Amino acid sequence: MTILVTGATGNAGGAVVQSLAEQGIPARALIRSATTLPSGVEPVLGDLNKPDTFADALTGVSAIFLLSGYDRLEELLANAVDAGVGKVVVLSSSSLDGELTNAVAAYHHATEEAVRATTLEWTFLRPNSFMSNTLRWLDQLHAGDEVRVQFPDVAVSTIHPRDIADVAVQALQGSSDGKVLRLTGPVALTPVEQVAILGEAIGRPLTAYPMTRSETHDALHASMPAPYAEAIESFFADRTIDETSVNNTVTSLTGQPARTLQTWVQQNAALFT
């Protein structure tokens, strides 16, 4: 068994690489440039948007951890089938619980449908927002102890990327074939509560400024294309998806309780200094 991990330097893909390495499962990591990888993980230089750049690296691969929304996906999947790959685990999104035509859900849905159309076995992971999204506050923390938070009253059961990874590794080994797995963290917390947990972990007296919907609207549209800003507003302001509910999928599949936000910020406190 050899696993190819795409997005191997990202939050989720990097966690998958780490989980595979710790379990001694042979892995190849798709990267765009040289980087340090765990022992036993083979680097594959290539671009996920250009499947021809790593087609040869599919030989001997049993399963692929795949990110959504990249170009020439059908070509990649055809290459995988030709190379004898048997399984794809897709990092999809909770956005598919809502309207499929919004900008975020649309590309995840397109990826899932493309995979369904192949002969490959598949598992789709639809996690809640990542705990690592707290890193979006870094610039504000560099400027002071006040953190402006969007959707301040919306509690989200954010998930530790390593929990996503541990579920993914189980799926890559053949469990959960043909299943869509919704993944949540252990407890729903508002952004205000998240800031308090972060402040305690890094030893700073952080305060949260609750942004109004108008302020949030302006900030989102200033930071990303309008269709994506509108999608995020729809998710959290209009509540078109539910990231508040907690389920036990992580525990039932890994045998371990889902990691807490306290754990994530303690593990990553150095990133905030």
Side-chain angles (χ1 to χ4, degrees):
M1 174 180 292
T2 297
I3 308 298
L4 175 69
V5 181
T6 69
T9 58
N11 289 313
V16 172
V17 167
Q18 188 66 37
S19 186
L20 289 167
E22 289 183 7
Q23 295 183 47
I25 299 172
R28 296 174 185 168
L30 182 64
I31 53 178
R32 291 189 179 186
S33 58
T35 189
T36 301
L37 296 168
S39 177
V41 178
E42 178 186 353
V44 174
L45 292 177
D47 185 339
L48 189 51
N49 282 311
K50 300 175 181 178
D52 56 301
T53 62
F54 60 95
D56 291 346
L58 294 173
T59 301
V61 167
S62 56
I64 300 173
F65 177 76
L66 181 64
L67 304 189
S68 294
Y70 284 80
D71 296 337
R72 297 163 58 183
L73 175 60
E74 288 78 8
E75 179 182 345
L76 166 57
L77 295 173
N79 290 345
V81 171
D82 290 344
V85 176
K87 172 84 184 230
V88 174
V89 173
V90 177
L91 181 62
S92 189
S93 168
S94 67
S95 63
L96 295 182
D97 288 352
E99 174 53 58
L100 300 183
T101 58
N102 76 66
V104 174
Y107 74 82
H108 288 290
H109 179 63
T111 298
E112 289 192 5
E113 290 302 292
V115 172
R116 288 180 190 270
T118 72
T119 58
L120 295 160
E121 295 289 347
W122 54 263
T123 301
F124 301 147
L125 308 182
R126 296 181 180 176
N128 280 2
S129 301
F130 294 8
M131 291 177 181
S132 50
N133 287 354
T134 54
L135 292 171
R136 69 187 182 277
W137 297 326
L138 271 179
D139 288 345
Q140 296 187 67
L141 293 173
H142 291 156
D145 290 332
E146 181 180 81
V147 180
R148 295 168 62 86
V149 296
Q150 300 170 354
F151 313 112
D153 299 324
V154 180
V156 173
S157 54
T158 57
I159 185 167
H160 196 300
R162 186 58 187 269
D163 285 331
I164 299 171
D166 289 348
V167 170
V169 170
Q170 293 289 330
L172 288 161
Q173 295 178 86
S175 70
S176 306
D177 285 353
K179 291 185 178 180
V180 177
L181 302 177
R182 279 288 283 114
L183 306 177
T184 81
V187 63
L189 300 167
T190 67
V192 175
E193 293 170 324
Q194 293 175 40
V195 168
I197 289 170
L198 176 59
E200 182 176 359
I202 64 176
R204 287 175 58 180
L206 302 182
T207 59
Y209 170 83
M211 296 171 66
T212 66
R213 178 157 184 179
S214 176
E215 289 171 330
T216 296
H217 173 90
D218 291 345
L220 288 171
H221 282 260
S223 63
M224 65 186 70
Y228 293 96
E230 291 164 3
I232 292 172
E233 282 194 273
S234 171
F235 297 155
F236 298 111
D238 299 329
R239 312 292 180 97
T240 59
I241 63 170
D242 176 19
E243 288 203 351
T244 294
S245 300
V246 173
N247 66 37
N248 68 347
T249 305
V250 168
T251 300
S252 65
L253 292 177
T254 68
Q256 300 295 326
R259 296 168 173 89
T260 65
L261 181 60
Q262 285 87 344
T263 295
W264 188 88
V265 294
Q266 288 165 5
Q267 292 170 338
N268 295 276
L271 297 177
F272 294 91
T273 60

